[in-house]
Amino acid sequence: MNYTLPELAKDIKNILKNSEIKDVSNDVCLLVSRAVKDDIFVTDNLTERSPNENPREVLYEDEELGLCICGHVYQAEANGMPHDHGSSWAIYGQAEGETEMTDWEIVNNPSDDEIKYVKPKKTYTLKRGDVHYYAKGEVHSPVRKSAVKILRIEGVNLDYIKRSNIKNDTEESHGSVGKW
């Protein structure tokens, strides 16, 4: 029996109603993994888009919790910049293709409005069925070498969240400031 979007939303909401994501992220990741391994779920919810369309589509948004379930369908290769999700968390579930992810370490101690300088910490590949939780403030970047489909769960709709100003820790990125 296939897993549906309403079932996924209800299951995640039931977990998050009484718990903080940091305490139940593994439980939510198991649900996301179930969804991205389900061929019918992927076909029904992660639909092809034209190259001119936004690759991100909000599939479900919960008014009570703010929780968002989004489909990301990328047609071509791309190198994402290091980023966080502002004051939110996110869970990425790989439904098709592969995404090489790099986790970044913040190397300075910025205030909220200052630039965060980062250096690469760990690189890994998300394949179909793989899921990864990114806590608030964790910095990462994706590399996609071909078309991919991703299911992303957001603590709140990231369309309305201010993101940090993040730069790679190189001499070119912050001039004479030097290494942190």
mmCIF file with all atom_site columns, all heavy atoms in Angstrom, residues 42-60:
data_model
loop_
_atom_site.group_PDB
_atom_site.id
_atom_site.type_symbol
_atom_site.label_atom_id
_atom_site.label_alt_id
_atom_site.label_comp_id
_atom_site.label_asym_id
_atom_site.label_entity_id
_atom_site.label_seq_id
_atom_site.pdbx_PDB_ins_code
_atom_site.Cartn_x
_atom_site.Cartn_y
_atom_site.Cartn_z
_atom_site.occupancy
_atom_site.B_iso_or_equiv
_atom_site.pdbx_formal_charge
_atom_site.auth_seq_id
_atom_site.auth_comp_id
_atom_site.auth_asym_id
_atom_site.auth_atom_id
_atom_site.pdbx_PDB_model_num
ATOM 1   N N   . VAL A 1 42 ? 6.281  9.408  -4.943  1.00 0.00 ? 42 VAL A N   1
ATOM 2   C CA  . VAL A 1 42 ? 7.188  10.258 -5.729  1.00 0.00 ? 42 VAL A CA  1
ATOM 3   C C   . VAL A 1 42 ? 6.503  10.720 -7.013  1.00 0.00 ? 42 VAL A C   1
ATOM 4   O O   . VAL A 1 42 ? 6.527  11.912 -7.346  1.00 0.00 ? 42 VAL A O   1
ATOM 5   C CB  . VAL A 1 42 ? 8.517  9.519  -6.020  1.00 0.00 ? 42 VAL A CB  1
ATOM 6   C CG1 . VAL A 1 42 ? 9.382  10.303 -6.992  1.00 0.00 ? 42 VAL A CG1 1
ATOM 7   C CG2 . VAL A 1 42 ? 9.270  9.262  -4.711  1.00 0.00 ? 42 VAL A CG2 1
ATOM 8   N N   . THR A 1 43 ? 5.860  9.812  -7.726  1.00 0.00 ? 43 THR A N   1
ATOM 9   C CA  . THR A 1 43 ? 5.177  10.163 -8.970  1.00 0.00 ? 43 THR A CA  1
ATOM 10  C C   . THR A 1 43 ? 4.064  11.177 -8.733  1.00 0.00 ? 43 THR A C   1
ATOM 11  O O   . THR A 1 43 ? 3.904  12.127 -9.491  1.00 0.00 ? 43 THR A O   1
ATOM 12  C CB  . THR A 1 43 ? 4.598  8.894  -9.640  1.00 0.00 ? 43 THR A CB  1
ATOM 13  O OG1 . THR A 1 43 ? 5.682  8.019  -9.951  1.00 0.00 ? 43 THR A OG1 1
ATOM 14  C CG2 . THR A 1 43 ? 3.834  9.228  -10.908 1.00 0.00 ? 43 THR A CG2 1
ATOM 15  N N   . ASP A 1 44 ? 3.307  10.987 -7.656  1.00 0.00 ? 44 ASP A N   1
ATOM 16  C CA  . ASP A 1 44 ? 2.166  11.868 -7.371  1.00 0.00 ? 44 ASP A CA  1
ATOM 17  C C   . ASP A 1 44 ? 2.577  13.251 -6.870  1.00 0.00 ? 44 ASP A C   1
ATOM 18  O O   . ASP A 1 44 ? 1.858  14.225 -7.090  1.00 0.00 ? 44 ASP A O   1
ATOM 19  C CB  . ASP A 1 44 ? 1.251  11.237 -6.318  1.00 0.00 ? 44 ASP A CB  1
ATOM 20  C CG  . ASP A 1 44 ? 0.448  10.063 -6.856  1.00 0.00 ? 44 ASP A CG  1
ATOM 21  O OD1 . ASP A 1 44 ? 0.459  9.836  -8.085  1.00 0.00 ? 44 ASP A OD1 1
ATOM 22  O OD2 . ASP A 1 44 ? -0.171 9.361  -6.031  1.00 0.00 ? 44 ASP A OD2 1
ATOM 23  N N   . ASN A 1 45 ? 3.705  13.349 -6.185  1.00 0.00 ? 45 ASN A N   1
ATOM 24  C CA  . ASN A 1 45 ? 4.032  14.600 -5.485  1.00 0.00 ? 45 ASN A CA  1
ATOM 25  C C   . ASN A 1 45 ? 5.262  15.340 -5.993  1.00 0.00 ? 45 ASN A C   1
ATOM 26  O O   . ASN A 1 45 ? 5.372  16.545 -5.776  1.00 0.00 ? 45 ASN A O   1
ATOM 27  C CB  . ASN A 1 45 ? 4.207  14.299 -3.991  1.00 0.00 ? 45 ASN A CB  1
ATOM 28  C CG  . ASN A 1 45 ? 2.930  13.809 -3.374  1.00 0.00 ? 45 ASN A CG  1
ATOM 29  O OD1 . ASN A 1 45 ? 1.982  14.568 -3.221  1.00 0.00 ? 45 ASN A OD1 1
ATOM 30  N ND2 . ASN A 1 45 ? 2.872  12.523 -3.059  1.00 0.00 ? 45 ASN A ND2 1
ATOM 31  N N   . LEU A 1 46 ? 6.171  14.659 -6.630  1.00 0.00 ? 46 LEU A N   1
ATOM 32  C CA  . LEU A 1 46 ? 7.389  15.313 -7.121  1.00 0.00 ? 46 LEU A CA  1
ATOM 33  C C   . LEU A 1 46 ? 7.339  15.323 -8.642  1.00 0.00 ? 46 LEU A C   1
ATOM 34  O O   . LEU A 1 46 ? 8.049  14.588 -9.327  1.00 0.00 ? 46 LEU A O   1
ATOM 35  C CB  . LEU A 1 46 ? 8.629  14.597 -6.587  1.00 0.00 ? 46 LEU A CB  1
ATOM 36  C CG  . LEU A 1 46 ? 8.724  14.557 -5.058  1.00 0.00 ? 46 LEU A CG  1
ATOM 37  C CD1 . LEU A 1 46 ? 9.916  13.742 -4.611  1.00 0.00 ? 46 LEU A CD1 1
ATOM 38  C CD2 . LEU A 1 46 ? 8.783  15.953 -4.477  1.00 0.00 ? 46 LEU A CD2 1
ATOM 39  N N   . THR A 1 47 ? 6.463  16.183 -9.167  1.00 0.00 ? 47 THR A N   1
ATOM 40  C CA  . THR A 1 47 ? 6.177  16.206 -10.596 1.00 0.00 ? 47 THR A CA  1
ATOM 41  C C   . THR A 1 47 ? 7.209  17.019 -11.361 1.00 0.00 ? 47 THR A C   1
ATOM 42  O O   . THR A 1 47 ? 7.803  17.966 -10.840 1.00 0.00 ? 47 THR A O   1
ATOM 43  C CB  . THR A 1 47 ? 4.769  16.772 -10.849 1.00 0.00 ? 47 THR A CB  1
ATOM 44  O OG1 . THR A 1 47 ? 4.688  18.075 -10.267 1.00 0.00 ? 47 THR A OG1 1
ATOM 45  C CG2 . THR A 1 47 ? 3.706  15.886 -10.222 1.00 0.00 ? 47 THR A CG2 1
ATOM 46  N N   . GLU A 1 48 ? 7.406  16.616 -12.616 1.00 0.00 ? 48 GLU A N   1
ATOM 47  C CA  . GLU A 1 48 ? 8.353  17.314 -13.494 1.00 0.00 ? 48 GLU A CA  1
ATOM 48  C C   . GLU A 1 48 ? 7.950  18.775 -13.645 1.00 0.00 ? 48 GLU A C   1
ATOM 49  O O   . GLU A 1 48 ? 6.765  19.112 -13.634 1.00 0.00 ? 48 GLU A O   1
ATOM 50  C CB  . GLU A 1 48 ? 8.393  16.635 -14.869 1.00 0.00 ? 48 GLU A CB  1
ATOM 51  C CG  . GLU A 1 48 ? 8.843  15.189 -14.833 1.00 0.00 ? 48 GLU A CG  1
ATOM 52  C CD  . GLU A 1 48 ? 10.278 15.021 -14.355 1.00 0.00 ? 48 GLU A CD  1
ATOM 53  O OE1 . GLU A 1 48 ? 11.129 15.884 -14.623 1.00 0.00 ? 48 GLU A OE1 1
ATOM 54  O OE2 . GLU A 1 48 ? 10.543 13.997 -13.691 1.00 0.00 ? 48 GLU A OE2 1
ATOM 55  N N   . ARG A 1 49 ? 8.954  19.615 -13.793 1.00 0.00 ? 49 ARG A N   1
ATOM 56  C CA  . ARG A 1 49 ? 8.718  21.042 -13.995 1.00 0.00 ? 49 ARG A CA  1
ATOM 57  C C   . ARG A 1 49 ? 9.500  21.502 -15.225 1.00 0.00 ? 49 ARG A C   1
ATOM 58  O O   . ARG A 1 49 ? 10.543 20.934 -15.536 1.00 0.00 ? 49 ARG A O   1
ATOM 59  C CB  . ARG A 1 49 ? 9.178  21.832 -12.771 1.00 0.00 ? 49 ARG A CB  1
ATOM 60  C CG  . ARG A 1 49 ? 8.340  21.554 -11.533 1.00 0.00 ? 49 ARG A CG  1
ATOM 61  C CD  . ARG A 1 49 ? 8.934  22.238 -10.309 1.00 0.00 ? 49 ARG A CD  1
ATOM 62  N NE  . ARG A 1 49 ? 8.184  22.042 -9.096  1.00 0.00 ? 49 ARG A NE  1
ATOM 63  C CZ  . ARG A 1 49 ? 8.149  20.926 -8.387  1.00 0.00 ? 49 ARG A CZ  1
ATOM 64  N NH1 . ARG A 1 49 ? 8.804  19.874 -8.784  1.00 0.00 ? 49 ARG A NH1 1
ATOM 65  N NH2 . ARG A 1 49 ? 7.456  20.849 -7.285  1.00 0.00 ? 49 ARG A NH2 1
ATOM 66  N N   . SER A 1 50 ? 9.021  22.540 -15.846 1.00 0.00 ? 50 SER A N   1
ATOM 67  C CA  . SER A 1 50 ? 9.767  23.087 -16.979 1.00 0.00 ? 50 SER A CA  1
ATOM 68  C C   . SER A 1 50 ? 10.986 23.836 -16.436 1.00 0.00 ? 50 SER A C   1
ATOM 69  O O   . SER A 1 50 ? 11.003 24.243 -15.265 1.00 0.00 ? 50 SER A O   1
ATOM 70  C CB  . SER A 1 50 ? 8.879  24.034 -17.791 1.00 0.00 ? 50 SER A CB  1
ATOM 71  O OG  . SER A 1 50 ? 8.673  25.241 -17.083 1.00 0.00 ? 50 SER A OG  1
ATOM 72  N N   . PRO A 1 51 ? 12.007 24.024 -17.256 1.00 0.00 ? 51 PRO A N   1
ATOM 73  C CA  . PRO A 1 51 ? 13.207 24.714 -16.785 1.00 0.00 ? 51 PRO A CA  1
ATOM 74  C C   . PRO A 1 51 ? 12.951 26.127 -16.252 1.00 0.00 ? 51 PRO A C   1
ATOM 75  O O   . PRO A 1 51 ? 13.708 26.638 -15.450 1.00 0.00 ? 51 PRO A O   1
ATOM 76  C CB  . PRO A 1 51 ? 14.103 24.760 -18.030 1.00 0.00 ? 51 PRO A CB  1
ATOM 77  C CG  . PRO A 1 51 ? 13.627 23.627 -18.874 1.00 0.00 ? 51 PRO A CG  1
ATOM 78  C CD  . PRO A 1 51 ? 12.155 23.504 -18.609 1.00 0.00 ? 51 PRO A CD  1
ATOM 79  N N   . ASN A 1 52 ? 11.857 26.757 -16.670 1.00 0.00 ? 52 ASN A N   1
ATOM 80  C CA  . ASN A 1 52 ? 11.541 28.119 -16.223 1.00 0.00 ? 52 ASN A CA  1
ATOM 81  C C   . ASN A 1 52 ? 10.778 28.154 -14.902 1.00 0.00 ? 52 ASN A C   1
ATOM 82  O O   . ASN A 1 52 ? 10.636 29.210 -14.306 1.00 0.00 ? 52 ASN A O   1
ATOM 83  C CB  . ASN A 1 52 ? 10.717 28.850 -17.282 1.00 0.00 ? 52 ASN A CB  1
ATOM 84  C CG  . ASN A 1 52 ? 11.488 29.021 -18.561 1.00 0.00 ? 52 ASN A CG  1
ATOM 85  O OD1 . ASN A 1 52 ? 12.715 29.029 -18.563 1.00 0.00 ? 52 ASN A OD1 1
ATOM 86  N ND2 . ASN A 1 52 ? 10.773 29.130 -19.672 1.00 0.00 ? 52 ASN A ND2 1
ATOM 87  N N   . GLU A 1 53 ? 10.280 27.006 -14.451 1.00 0.00 ? 53 GLU A N   1
ATOM 88  C CA  . GLU A 1 53 ? 9.514  26.952 -13.209 1.00 0.00 ? 53 GLU A CA  1
ATOM 89  C C   . GLU A 1 53 ? 10.427 26.866 -12.001 1.00 0.00 ? 53 GLU A C   1
ATOM 90  O O   . GLU A 1 53 ? 11.540 26.353 -12.079 1.00 0.00 ? 53 GLU A O   1
ATOM 91  C CB  . GLU A 1 53 ? 8.595  25.728 -13.200 1.00 0.00 ? 53 GLU A CB  1
ATOM 92  C CG  . GLU A 1 53 ? 7.389  25.851 -14.069 1.00 0.00 ? 53 GLU A CG  1
ATOM 93  C CD  . GLU A 1 53 ? 6.498  24.634 -13.936 1.00 0.00 ? 53 GLU A CD  1
ATOM 94  O OE1 . GLU A 1 53 ? 6.770  23.628 -14.601 1.00 0.00 ? 53 GLU A OE1 1
ATOM 95  O OE2 . GLU A 1 53 ? 5.537  24.704 -13.146 1.00 0.00 ? 53 GLU A OE2 1
ATOM 96  N N   . ASN A 1 54 ? 9.924  27.359 -10.880 1.00 0.00 ? 54 ASN A N   1
ATOM 97  C CA  . ASN A 1 54 ? 10.635 27.239 -9.608  1.00 0.00 ? 54 ASN A CA  1
ATOM 98  C C   . ASN A 1 54 ? 10.747 25.757 -9.273  1.00 0.00 ? 54 ASN A C   1
ATOM 99  O O   . ASN A 1 54 ? 9.740  25.039 -9.297  1.00 0.00 ? 54 ASN A O   1
ATOM 100 C CB  . ASN A 1 54 ? 9.854  27.975 -8.519  1.00 0.00 ? 54 ASN A CB  1
ATOM 101 C CG  . ASN A 1 54 ? 10.565 28.012 -7.188  1.00 0.00 ? 54 ASN A CG  1
ATOM 102 O OD1 . ASN A 1 54 ? 11.479 27.246 -6.919  1.00 0.00 ? 54 ASN A OD1 1
ATOM 103 N ND2 . ASN A 1 54 ? 10.125 28.918 -6.331  1.00 0.00 ? 54 ASN A ND2 1
ATOM 104 N N   . PRO A 1 55 ? 11.949 25.278 -8.947  1.00 0.00 ? 55 PRO A N   1
ATOM 105 C CA  . PRO A 1 55 ? 12.091 23.852 -8.626  1.00 0.00 ? 55 PRO A CA  1
ATOM 106 C C   . PRO A 1 55 ? 11.436 23.470 -7.298  1.00 0.00 ? 55 PRO A C   1
ATOM 107 O O   . PRO A 1 55 ? 11.208 22.305 -7.031  1.00 0.00 ? 55 PRO A O   1
ATOM 108 C CB  . PRO A 1 55 ? 13.607 23.640 -8.566  1.00 0.00 ? 55 PRO A CB  1
ATOM 109 C CG  . PRO A 1 55 ? 14.184 24.984 -8.337  1.00 0.00 ? 55 PRO A CG  1
ATOM 110 C CD  . PRO A 1 55 ? 13.223 25.978 -8.933  1.00 0.00 ? 55 PRO A CD  1
ATOM 111 N N   . ARG A 1 56 ? 11.117 24.461 -6.466  1.00 0.00 ? 56 ARG A N   1
ATOM 112 C CA  . ARG A 1 56 ? 10.520 24.208 -5.145  1.00 0.00 ? 56 ARG A CA  1
ATOM 113 C C   . ARG A 1 56 ? 9.013  24.437 -5.200  1.00 0.00 ? 56 ARG A C   1
ATOM 114 O O   . ARG A 1 56 ? 8.546  25.470 -5.663  1.00 0.00 ? 56 ARG A O   1
ATOM 115 C CB  . ARG A 1 56 ? 11.139 25.154 -4.119  1.00 0.00 ? 56 ARG A CB  1
ATOM 116 C CG  . ARG A 1 56 ? 10.549 25.039 -2.721  1.00 0.00 ? 56 ARG A CG  1
ATOM 117 C CD  . ARG A 1 56 ? 11.245 26.058 -1.799  1.00 0.00 ? 56 ARG A CD  1
ATOM 118 N NE  . ARG A 1 56 ? 10.802 25.954 -0.443  1.00 0.00 ? 56 ARG A NE  1
ATOM 119 C CZ  . ARG A 1 56 ? 9.783  26.621 0.075   1.00 0.00 ? 56 ARG A CZ  1
ATOM 120 N NH1 . ARG A 1 56 ? 9.083  27.454 -0.661  1.00 0.00 ? 56 ARG A NH1 1
ATOM 121 N NH2 . ARG A 1 56 ? 9.459  26.465 1.349   1.00 0.00 ? 56 ARG A NH2 1
ATOM 122 N N   . GLU A 1 57 ? 8.257  23.454 -4.697  1.00 0.00 ? 57 GLU A N   1
ATOM 123 C CA  . GLU A 1 57 ? 6.805  23.570 -4.618  1.00 0.00 ? 57 GLU A CA  1
ATOM 124 C C   . GLU A 1 57 ? 6.355  23.191 -3.211  1.00 0.00 ? 57 GLU A C   1
ATOM 125 O O   . GLU A 1 57 ? 6.709  22.125 -2.702  1.00 0.00 ? 57 GLU A O   1
ATOM 126 C CB  . GLU A 1 57 ? 6.143  22.636 -5.630  1.00 0.00 ? 57 GLU A CB  1
ATOM 127 C CG  . GLU A 1 57 ? 4.639  22.656 -5.588  1.00 0.00 ? 57 GLU A CG  1
ATOM 128 C CD  . GLU A 1 57 ? 3.995  21.646 -6.534  1.00 0.00 ? 57 GLU A CD  1
ATOM 129 O OE1 . GLU A 1 57 ? 4.707  20.889 -7.196  1.00 0.00 ? 57 GLU A OE1 1
ATOM 130 O OE2 . GLU A 1 57 ? 2.754  21.623 -6.570  1.00 0.00 ? 57 GLU A OE2 1
ATOM 131 N N   . VAL A 1 58 ? 5.593  24.081 -2.583  1.00 0.00 ? 58 VAL A N   1
ATOM 132 C CA  . VAL A 1 58 ? 5.027  23.769 -1.273  1.00 0.00 ? 58 VAL A CA  1
ATOM 133 C C   . VAL A 1 58 ? 3.864  22.804 -1.504  1.00 0.00 ? 58 VAL A C   1
ATOM 134 O O   . VAL A 1 58 ? 2.885  23.148 -2.161  1.00 0.00 ? 58 VAL A O   1
ATOM 135 C CB  . VAL A 1 58 ? 4.560  25.039 -0.524  1.00 0.00 ? 58 VAL A CB  1
ATOM 136 C CG1 . VAL A 1 58 ? 3.869  24.670 0.775   1.00 0.00 ? 58 VAL A CG1 1
ATOM 137 C CG2 . VAL A 1 58 ? 5.736  25.969 -0.266  1.00 0.00 ? 58 VAL A CG2 1
ATOM 138 N N   . LEU A 1 59 ? 4.000  21.601 -0.969  1.00 0.00 ? 59 LEU A N   1
ATOM 139 C CA  . LEU A 1 59 ? 2.982  20.564 -1.133  1.00 0.00 ? 59 LEU A CA  1
ATOM 140 C C   . LEU A 1 59 ? 1.969  20.578 0.001   1.00 0.00 ? 59 LEU A C   1
ATOM 141 O O   . LEU A 1 59 ? 0.815  20.200 -0.177  1.00 0.00 ? 59 LEU A O   1
ATOM 142 C CB  . LEU A 1 59 ? 3.645  19.181 -1.196  1.00 0.00 ? 59 LEU A CB  1
ATOM 143 C CG  . LEU A 1 59 ? 4.713  18.990 -2.273  1.00 0.00 ? 59 LEU A CG  1
ATOM 144 C CD1 . LEU A 1 59 ? 5.415  17.654 -2.092  1.00 0.00 ? 59 LEU A CD1 1
ATOM 145 C CD2 . LEU A 1 59 ? 4.084  19.107 -3.659  1.00 0.00 ? 59 LEU A CD2 1
ATOM 146 N N   . TYR A 1 60 ? 2.427  20.995 1.186   1.00 0.00 ? 60 TYR A N   1
ATOM 147 C CA  . TYR A 1 60 ? 1.580  21.015 2.379   1.00 0.00 ? 60 TYR A CA  1
ATOM 148 C C   . TYR A 1 60 ? 2.154  22.029 3.349   1.00 0.00 ? 60 TYR A C   1
ATOM 149 O O   . TYR A 1 60 ? 3.366  22.102 3.533   1.00 0.00 ? 60 TYR A O   1
ATOM 150 C CB  . TYR A 1 60 ? 1.573  19.629 3.041   1.00 0.00 ? 60 TYR A CB  1
ATOM 151 C CG  . TYR A 1 60 ? 0.923  19.608 4.413   1.00 0.00 ? 60 TYR A CG  1
ATOM 152 C CD1 . TYR A 1 60 ? -0.457 19.483 4.544   1.00 0.00 ? 60 TYR A CD1 1
ATOM 153 C CD2 . TYR A 1 60 ? 1.687  19.728 5.566   1.00 0.00 ? 60 TYR A CD2 1
ATOM 154 C CE1 . TYR A 1 60 ? -1.051 19.479 5.802   1.00 0.00 ? 60 TYR A CE1 1
ATOM 155 C CE2 . TYR A 1 60 ? 1.093  19.712 6.828   1.00 0.00 ? 60 TYR A CE2 1
ATOM 156 C CZ  . TYR A 1 60 ? -0.276 19.594 6.933   1.00 0.00 ? 60 TYR A CZ  1
ATOM 157 O OH  . TYR A 1 60 ? -0.854 19.594 8.177   1.00 0.00 ? 60 TYR A OH  1
#
